[in-house]
Amino acid sequence: MELLMEFMGKGFTTMLMISMPCVLVAAAIGLIVGIIQAVTQVQEQTIAAAPKIVLVFLTIVILGGYFISKLLP
């Protein structure tokens, strides 16, 4: 049972270390775009989605080597 808990803890830690950069980038871009939309009073949903998609993809490309190194034993 201890071994199971240890592996589950390592799994959750690895999952968080891999997903957190993408989540933080998406949240930051959403906040920035939301502020810009509030200031300019342009409420278009596609304006917020496009930068998030592009920047999360770039985050995955840039940090891909780190993600792979965390997944390999």
Side-chain angles (χ1 to χ4, degrees):
M1 191 64 156
E2 265 184 51
L3 189 61
L4 175 67
M5 297 303 265
E6 180 183 341
F7 283 137
M8 285 181 64
K10 287 182 181 179
F12 282 123
T13 304
T14 302
M15 177 186 62
L16 285 173
M17 291 180 75
I18 290 174
S19 64
M20 195 56 63
C22 297
V23 170
L24 290 177
V25 166
I29 296 304
L31 180 66
I32 292 168
V33 170
I35 291 171
I36 292 171
Q37 284 182 331
V39 169
T40 61
Q41 295 182 352
V42 175
Q43 299 298 324
E44 182 64 36
Q45 294 298 324
T46 56
I47 293 174
K52 280 185 199 176
I53 292 169
V54 170
L55 288 174
V56 168
F57 176 73
L58 286 175
T59 303
I60 293 171
V61 169
I62 292 169
L63 296 177
Y66 169 73
F67 295 158
I68 296 295
S69 71
K70 291 309 271 182
L71 289 173
L72 294 176

